[in-house]
Amino acid sequence: MFELDDQVVATKGVDLGVMVVTGFSGGGFYTHVKVDGMALTYPTKDLKKQ
């Protein structure tokens, strides 16, 4: 599991480089991230720590 402000990268889907964790939803199945001013949601299983 990640913590707020962790730096992560996507292992599947669109690779946007390093993203910052901003929150969680769906019981931890989804992670909210921010990159280049965009707020996105990724499945937690498709992210890894930088």
Side-chain angles (χ1 to χ4, degrees):
M1 187 64 130
F2 305 111
E3 296 182 20
L4 293 177
D5 297 325
D6 276 354
Q7 293 186 345
V8 297
V9 293
T11 59
K12 287 185 179 178
V14 178
D15 181 10
L16 298 173
V18 177
M19 302 177 282
V20 177
V21 174
T22 59
F24 308 96
S25 67
F29 291 105
Y30 295 95
T31 301
H32 301 295
V33 295
K34 187 174 270 193
V35 60
D36 295 332
M38 295 183 291
L40 305 168
T41 301
Y42 272 85
T44 301
K45 66 179 182 167
D46 293 344
L47 297 172
K48 69 176 182 178
K49 282 191 178 181
Q50 174 59 21

PDB file of all heavy atoms in Angstrom, residues 9-35:
ATOM      1  N   VAL A   9       4.991   5.228 -10.207  1.00  0.00           N
ATOM      2  CA  VAL A   9       4.936   5.181 -11.671  1.00  0.00           C
ATOM      3  C   VAL A   9       3.952   4.092 -12.074  1.00  0.00           C
ATOM      4  O   VAL A   9       3.742   3.132 -11.333  1.00  0.00           O
ATOM      5  CB  VAL A   9       6.314   4.917 -12.306  1.00  0.00           C
ATOM      6  CG1 VAL A   9       7.249   6.084 -12.090  1.00  0.00           C
ATOM      7  CG2 VAL A   9       6.920   3.638 -11.781  1.00  0.00           C
ATOM      8  N   ALA A  10       3.366   4.241 -13.241  1.00  0.00           N
ATOM      9  CA  ALA A  10       2.397   3.262 -13.740  1.00  0.00           C
ATOM     10  C   ALA A  10       3.133   2.061 -14.328  1.00  0.00           C
ATOM     11  O   ALA A  10       4.145   2.219 -15.014  1.00  0.00           O
ATOM     12  CB  ALA A  10       1.513   3.898 -14.795  1.00  0.00           C
ATOM     13  N   THR A  11       2.605   0.853 -14.068  1.00  0.00           N
ATOM     14  CA  THR A  11       3.157  -0.364 -14.672  1.00  0.00           C
ATOM     15  C   THR A  11       2.307  -0.817 -15.840  1.00  0.00           C
ATOM     16  O   THR A  11       2.736  -1.655 -16.623  1.00  0.00           O
ATOM     17  CB  THR A  11       3.247  -1.503 -13.637  1.00  0.00           C
ATOM     18  OG1 THR A  11       1.939  -1.774 -13.125  1.00  0.00           O
ATOM     19  CG2 THR A  11       4.167  -1.130 -12.496  1.00  0.00           C
ATOM     20  N   LYS A  12       1.093  -0.270 -15.970  1.00  0.00           N
ATOM     21  CA  LYS A  12       0.188  -0.557 -17.091  1.00  0.00           C
ATOM     22  C   LYS A  12      -0.474   0.755 -17.505  1.00  0.00           C
ATOM     23  O   LYS A  12      -0.524   1.698 -16.736  1.00  0.00           O
ATOM     24  CB  LYS A  12      -0.903  -1.540 -16.676  1.00  0.00           C
ATOM     25  CG  LYS A  12      -0.435  -2.948 -16.502  1.00  0.00           C
ATOM     26  CD  LYS A  12      -1.636  -3.851 -16.223  1.00  0.00           C
ATOM     27  CE  LYS A  12      -1.231  -5.282 -16.064  1.00  0.00           C
ATOM     28  NZ  LYS A  12      -2.385  -6.127 -15.749  1.00  0.00           N
ATOM     29  N   GLY A  13      -1.001   0.769 -18.683  1.00  0.00           N
ATOM     30  CA  GLY A  13      -1.717   1.964 -19.147  1.00  0.00           C
ATOM     31  C   GLY A  13      -0.756   3.037 -19.614  1.00  0.00           C
ATOM     32  O   GLY A  13       0.370   2.762 -20.011  1.00  0.00           O
ATOM     33  N   VAL A  14      -1.190   4.279 -19.543  1.00  0.00           N
ATOM     34  CA  VAL A  14      -0.413   5.412 -20.029  1.00  0.00           C
ATOM     35  C   VAL A  14       0.723   5.715 -19.054  1.00  0.00           C
ATOM     36  O   VAL A  14       0.494   5.870 -17.860  1.00  0.00           O
ATOM     37  CB  VAL A  14      -1.318   6.655 -20.192  1.00  0.00           C
ATOM     38  CG1 VAL A  14      -0.508   7.843 -20.659  1.00  0.00           C
ATOM     39  CG2 VAL A  14      -2.448   6.358 -21.156  1.00  0.00           C
ATOM     40  N   ASP A  15       1.942   5.801 -19.574  1.00  0.00           N
ATOM     41  CA  ASP A  15       3.105   6.130 -18.746  1.00  0.00           C
ATOM     42  C   ASP A  15       3.317   7.637 -18.764  1.00  0.00           C
ATOM     43  O   ASP A  15       3.717   8.199 -19.779  1.00  0.00           O
ATOM     44  CB  ASP A  15       4.341   5.413 -19.273  1.00  0.00           C
ATOM     45  CG  ASP A  15       5.578   5.701 -18.440  1.00  0.00           C
ATOM     46  OD1 ASP A  15       5.451   6.298 -17.352  1.00  0.00           O
ATOM     47  OD2 ASP A  15       6.680   5.314 -18.881  1.00  0.00           O
ATOM     48  N   LEU A  16       3.016   8.278 -17.649  1.00  0.00           N
ATOM     49  CA  LEU A  16       3.179   9.727 -17.540  1.00  0.00           C
ATOM     50  C   LEU A  16       4.378  10.098 -16.684  1.00  0.00           C
ATOM     51  O   LEU A  16       4.536  11.243 -16.302  1.00  0.00           O
ATOM     52  CB  LEU A  16       1.911  10.344 -16.946  1.00  0.00           C
ATOM     53  CG  LEU A  16       0.646  10.160 -17.785  1.00  0.00           C
ATOM     54  CD1 LEU A  16      -0.571  10.649 -17.020  1.00  0.00           C
ATOM     55  CD2 LEU A  16       0.773  10.877 -19.109  1.00  0.00           C
ATOM     56  N   GLY A  17       5.215   9.131 -16.365  1.00  0.00           N
ATOM     57  CA  GLY A  17       6.382   9.396 -15.531  1.00  0.00           C
ATOM     58  C   GLY A  17       6.011   9.343 -14.065  1.00  0.00           C
ATOM     59  O   GLY A  17       5.068   8.670 -13.657  1.00  0.00           O
ATOM     60  N   VAL A  18       6.766  10.072 -13.256  1.00  0.00           N
ATOM     61  CA  VAL A  18       6.564  10.055 -11.812  1.00  0.00           C
ATOM     62  C   VAL A  18       5.305  10.830 -11.438  1.00  0.00           C
ATOM     63  O   VAL A  18       5.105  11.957 -11.899  1.00  0.00           O
ATOM     64  CB  VAL A  18       7.790  10.654 -11.088  1.00  0.00           C
ATOM     65  CG1 VAL A  18       7.561  10.704  -9.585  1.00  0.00           C
ATOM     66  CG2 VAL A  18       9.026   9.835 -11.398  1.00  0.00           C
ATOM     67  N   MET A  19       4.462  10.196 -10.615  1.00  0.00           N
ATOM     68  CA  MET A  19       3.221  10.812 -10.149  1.00  0.00           C
ATOM     69  C   MET A  19       3.225  10.808  -8.625  1.00  0.00           C
ATOM     70  O   MET A  19       3.919  10.015  -7.998  1.00  0.00           O
ATOM     71  CB  MET A  19       2.019  10.010 -10.662  1.00  0.00           C
ATOM     72  CG  MET A  19       1.972   9.910 -12.166  1.00  0.00           C
ATOM     73  SD  MET A  19       0.614   8.898 -12.789  1.00  0.00           S
ATOM     74  CE  MET A  19       1.255   7.252 -12.516  1.00  0.00           C
ATOM     75  N   VAL A  20       2.455  11.700  -8.023  1.00  0.00           N
ATOM     76  CA  VAL A  20       2.394  11.817  -6.566  1.00  0.00           C
ATOM     77  C   VAL A  20       1.031  11.346  -6.074  1.00  0.00           C
ATOM     78  O   VAL A  20      -0.005  11.771  -6.597  1.00  0.00           O
ATOM     79  CB  VAL A  20       2.635  13.279  -6.124  1.00  0.00           C
ATOM     80  CG1 VAL A  20       2.512  13.421  -4.608  1.00  0.00           C
ATOM     81  CG2 VAL A  20       4.005  13.751  -6.588  1.00  0.00           C
ATOM     82  N   VAL A  21       1.028  10.460  -5.079  1.00  0.00           N
ATOM     83  CA  VAL A  21      -0.217   9.930  -4.513  1.00  0.00           C
ATOM     84  C   VAL A  21      -0.919  11.029  -3.729  1.00  0.00           C
ATOM     85  O   VAL A  21      -0.317  11.677  -2.865  1.00  0.00           O
ATOM     86  CB  VAL A  21       0.074   8.725  -3.589  1.00  0.00           C
ATOM     87  CG1 VAL A  21      -1.196   8.265  -2.891  1.00  0.00           C
ATOM     88  CG2 VAL A  21       0.697   7.585  -4.386  1.00  0.00           C
ATOM     89  N   THR A  22      -2.213  11.232  -4.031  1.00  0.00           N
ATOM     90  CA  THR A  22      -2.991  12.271  -3.345  1.00  0.00           C
ATOM     91  C   THR A  22      -4.156  11.708  -2.543  1.00  0.00           C
ATOM     92  O   THR A  22      -4.764  12.426  -1.761  1.00  0.00           O
ATOM     93  CB  THR A  22      -3.534  13.308  -4.341  1.00  0.00           C
ATOM     94  OG1 THR A  22      -4.352  12.639  -5.303  1.00  0.00           O
ATOM     95  CG2 THR A  22      -2.395  14.034  -5.044  1.00  0.00           C
ATOM     96  N   GLY A  23      -4.487  10.420  -2.740  1.00  0.00           N
ATOM     97  CA  GLY A  23      -5.607   9.849  -1.987  1.00  0.00           C
ATOM     98  C   GLY A  23      -5.938   8.452  -2.464  1.00  0.00           C
ATOM     99  O   GLY A  23      -5.298   7.908  -3.363  1.00  0.00           O
ATOM    100  N   PHE A  24      -6.976   7.874  -1.836  1.00  0.00           N
ATOM    101  CA  PHE A  24      -7.377   6.508  -2.118  1.00  0.00           C
ATOM    102  C   PHE A  24      -8.898   6.415  -2.180  1.00  0.00           C
ATOM    103  O   PHE A  24      -9.591   7.229  -1.585  1.00  0.00           O
ATOM    104  CB  PHE A  24      -6.868   5.560  -1.023  1.00  0.00           C
ATOM    105  CG  PHE A  24      -5.393   5.700  -0.768  1.00  0.00           C
ATOM    106  CD1 PHE A  24      -4.929   6.503   0.245  1.00  0.00           C
ATOM    107  CD2 PHE A  24      -4.485   5.045  -1.573  1.00  0.00           C
ATOM    108  CE1 PHE A  24      -3.571   6.652   0.468  1.00  0.00           C
ATOM    109  CE2 PHE A  24      -3.128   5.181  -1.365  1.00  0.00           C
ATOM    110  CZ  PHE A  24      -2.665   5.988  -0.342  1.00  0.00           C
ATOM    111  N   SER A  25      -9.408   5.405  -2.880  1.00  0.00           N
ATOM    112  CA  SER A  25     -10.848   5.165  -2.897  1.00  0.00           C
ATOM    113  C   SER A  25     -11.099   3.693  -3.166  1.00  0.00           C
ATOM    114  O   SER A  25     -10.174   2.940  -3.476  1.00  0.00           O
ATOM    115  CB  SER A  25     -11.535   6.025  -3.959  1.00  0.00           C
ATOM    116  OG  SER A  25     -11.142   5.614  -5.244  1.00  0.00           O
ATOM    117  N   GLY A  26     -12.347   3.282  -3.068  1.00  0.00           N
ATOM    118  CA  GLY A  26     -12.710   1.902  -3.354  1.00  0.00           C
ATOM    119  C   GLY A  26     -12.050   0.908  -2.431  1.00  0.00           C
ATOM    120  O   GLY A  26     -11.648  -0.164  -2.862  1.00  0.00           O
ATOM    121  N   GLY A  27     -11.906   1.268  -1.158  1.00  0.00           N
ATOM    122  CA  GLY A  27     -11.285   0.359  -0.201  1.00  0.00           C
ATOM    123  C   GLY A  27      -9.817   0.115  -0.488  1.00  0.00           C
ATOM    124  O   GLY A  27      -9.261  -0.904  -0.112  1.00  0.00           O
ATOM    125  N   GLY A  28      -9.176   1.049  -1.178  1.00  0.00           N
ATOM    126  CA  GLY A  28      -7.757   0.915  -1.492  1.00  0.00           C
ATOM    127  C   GLY A  28      -7.484   0.285  -2.842  1.00  0.00           C
ATOM    128  O   GLY A  28      -6.334   0.121  -3.233  1.00  0.00           O
ATOM    129  N   PHE A  29      -8.544  -0.076  -3.583  1.00  0.00           N
ATOM    130  CA  PHE A  29      -8.353  -0.673  -4.900  1.00  0.00           C
ATOM    131  C   PHE A  29      -7.930   0.358  -5.944  1.00  0.00           C
ATOM    132  O   PHE A  29      -7.359   0.003  -6.965  1.00  0.00           O
ATOM    133  CB  PHE A  29      -9.619  -1.386  -5.367  1.00  0.00           C
ATOM    134  CG  PHE A  29      -9.914  -2.626  -4.565  1.00  0.00           C
ATOM    135  CD1 PHE A  29     -10.932  -2.628  -3.635  1.00  0.00           C
ATOM    136  CD2 PHE A  29      -9.165  -3.784  -4.733  1.00  0.00           C
ATOM    137  CE1 PHE A  29     -11.208  -3.759  -2.880  1.00  0.00           C
ATOM    138  CE2 PHE A  29      -9.425  -4.914  -3.988  1.00  0.00           C
ATOM    139  CZ  PHE A  29     -10.453  -4.908  -3.053  1.00  0.00           C
ATOM    140  N   TYR A  30      -8.234   1.636  -5.681  1.00  0.00           N
ATOM    141  CA  TYR A  30      -7.857   2.717  -6.594  1.00  0.00           C
ATOM    142  C   TYR A  30      -7.044   3.756  -5.845  1.00  0.00           C
ATOM    143  O   TYR A  30      -7.287   4.024  -4.670  1.00  0.00           O
ATOM    144  CB  TYR A  30      -9.091   3.382  -7.207  1.00  0.00           C
ATOM    145  CG  TYR A  30      -9.866   2.447  -8.100  1.00  0.00           C
ATOM    146  CD1 TYR A  30     -10.948   1.733  -7.605  1.00  0.00           C
ATOM    147  CD2 TYR A  30      -9.490   2.262  -9.424  1.00  0.00           C
ATOM    148  CE1 TYR A  30     -11.640   0.849  -8.418  1.00  0.00           C
ATOM    149  CE2 TYR A  30     -10.183   1.385 -10.241  1.00  0.00           C
ATOM    150  CZ  TYR A  30     -11.252   0.684  -9.733  1.00  0.00           C
ATOM    151  OH  TYR A  30     -11.934  -0.199 -10.531  1.00  0.00           O
ATOM    152  N   THR A  31      -6.079   4.349  -6.551  1.00  0.00           N
ATOM    153  CA  THR A  31      -5.210   5.373  -5.972  1.00  0.00           C
ATOM    154  C   THR A  31      -5.327   6.638  -6.797  1.00  0.00           C
ATOM    155  O   THR A  31      -5.206   6.597  -8.025  1.00  0.00           O
ATOM    156  CB  THR A  31      -3.747   4.886  -5.961  1.00  0.00           C
ATOM    157  OG1 THR A  31      -3.672   3.680  -5.196  1.00  0.00           O
ATOM    158  CG2 THR A  31      -2.821   5.920  -5.358  1.00  0.00           C
ATOM    159  N   HIS A  32      -5.555   7.757  -6.139  1.00  0.00           N
ATOM    160  CA  HIS A  32      -5.608   9.055  -6.808  1.00  0.00           C
ATOM    161  C   HIS A  32      -4.188   9.606  -6.874  1.00  0.00           C
ATOM    162  O   HIS A  32      -3.457   9.582  -5.881  1.00  0.00           O
ATOM    163  CB  HIS A  32      -6.498  10.032  -6.036  1.00  0.00           C
ATOM    164  CG  HIS A  32      -7.903   9.546  -5.870  1.00  0.00           C
ATOM    165  ND1 HIS A  32      -8.758   9.364  -6.930  1.00  0.00           N
ATOM    166  CD2 HIS A  32      -8.598   9.200  -4.764  1.00  0.00           C
ATOM    167  CE1 HIS A  32      -9.923   8.931  -6.478  1.00  0.00           C
ATOM    168  NE2 HIS A  32      -9.843   8.814  -5.162  1.00  0.00           N
ATOM    169  N   VAL A  33      -3.814  10.087  -8.053  1.00  0.00           N
ATOM    170  CA  VAL A  33      -2.478  10.645  -8.242  1.00  0.00           C
ATOM    171  C   VAL A  33      -2.576  11.992  -8.937  1.00  0.00           C
ATOM    172  O   VAL A  33      -3.596  12.321  -9.541  1.00  0.00           O
ATOM    173  CB  VAL A  33      -1.590   9.690  -9.082  1.00  0.00           C
ATOM    174  CG1 VAL A  33      -1.346   8.390  -8.346  1.00  0.00           C
ATOM    175  CG2 VAL A  33      -2.185   9.431 -10.452  1.00  0.00           C
ATOM    176  N   LYS A  34      -1.487  12.747  -8.851  1.00  0.00           N
ATOM    177  CA  LYS A  34      -1.420  14.037  -9.534  1.00  0.00           C
ATOM    178  C   LYS A  34      -0.109  14.088 -10.311  1.00  0.00           C
ATOM    179  O   LYS A  34       0.943  13.709  -9.798  1.00  0.00           O
ATOM    180  CB  LYS A  34      -1.470  15.180  -8.525  1.00  0.00           C
ATOM    181  CG  LYS A  34      -1.566  16.549  -9.188  1.00  0.00           C
ATOM    182  CD  LYS A  34      -1.770  17.649  -8.186  1.00  0.00           C
ATOM    183  CE  LYS A  34      -3.255  17.823  -8.007  1.00  0.00           C
ATOM    184  NZ  LYS A  34      -3.596  19.057  -7.304  1.00  0.00           N
ATOM    185  N   VAL A  35      -0.211  14.556 -11.558  1.00  0.00           N
ATOM    186  CA  VAL A  35       0.969  14.709 -12.410  1.00  0.00           C
ATOM    187  C   VAL A  35       0.713  15.851 -13.388  1.00  0.00           C
ATOM    188  O   VAL A  35      -0.365  15.927 -13.986  1.00  0.00           O
ATOM    189  CB  VAL A  35       1.310  13.400 -13.154  1.00  0.00           C
ATOM    190  CG1 VAL A  35       0.186  12.943 -14.037  1.00  0.00           C
ATOM    191  CG2 VAL A  35       2.600  13.532 -13.947  1.00  0.00           C
TER     192      VAL A  35
END
